[in-house]
Amino acid sequence: MDPLSVSALVTLLSKIFDGATGKVGEQLWDDLTSVVRRVFGRRSTSVEAAKRLGERPGDLDATRALAEALIADSARDPQGAAQIRHWVARAEHALAAEGSVTNTIDGSVTGNVVQARDIRGDITF
């Protein structure tokens, strides 16, 4: 999936504001707003949308509006699109590292053991 699709950006932005990312999410948000201002200019649609989302963190309509603005501004500015893609890659890496889990299972465990992350359904054996 292209990292600059509306749905991919909505998903990424939602993760940043879901409360589980803590300081990492705050830093990613600061980085994004800085990139957007620098790349697209202070009066771009993306800057205005980022400002609205900053005032209503996690609001789905504001999140979608920012994603759509980033797509529109990126379509007009290939260099800006490259900068946003770079931010997306860094953000995805940071969020993956933040949410990683390391477990050790010793030989005393009997039965089935599952180690997983982000399961969205049933697990059966």
Side-chain angles (χ1 to χ4, degrees):
M1 178 185 304
D2 182 1
L4 288 189
S5 70
V6 170
S7 62
L9 287 170
V10 166
T11 298
L12 182 58
L13 291 167
S14 294
K15 286 180 184 177
I16 289 172
F17 285 106
D18 77 358
T21 59
K23 292 287 183 190
V24 171
E26 290 175 23
Q27 184 61 53
L28 290 172
W29 177 247
D30 290 345
D31 291 348
L32 176 62
T33 57
S34 177
V35 167
V36 167
R37 279 192 309 271
R38 184 180 71 247
V39 170
F40 297 124
R42 295 191 180 274
R43 296 187 183 187
S44 73
T45 306
S46 294
V47 170
E48 291 301 315
K51 181 179 175 186
R52 282 191 304 277
L53 181 55
E55 292 168 351
R56 299 182 307 196
D59 179 80
L60 187 55
D61 290 335
T63 300
R64 179 167 283 286
L66 176 55
E68 290 171 351
L70 288 170
I71 295 297
D73 284 344
S74 293
R76 289 187 291 273
D77 182 348
Q79 290 178 337
Q83 292 285 324
I84 297 300
R85 280 188 177 91
H86 183 70
W87 176 84
V88 166
R90 285 192 333 260
E92 288 174 341
H93 179 74
L95 291 174
E98 177 73 9
S100 66
V101 175
T102 303
N103 294 312
T104 303
I105 300 173
D106 66 25
S108 66
V109 175
T110 60
N112 297 316
V113 175
V114 175
Q115 288 184 293
R117 180 170 178 243
D118 299 336
I119 296 173
R120 306 236 193 299
D122 297 333
I123 297 176
T124 57
F125 295 96

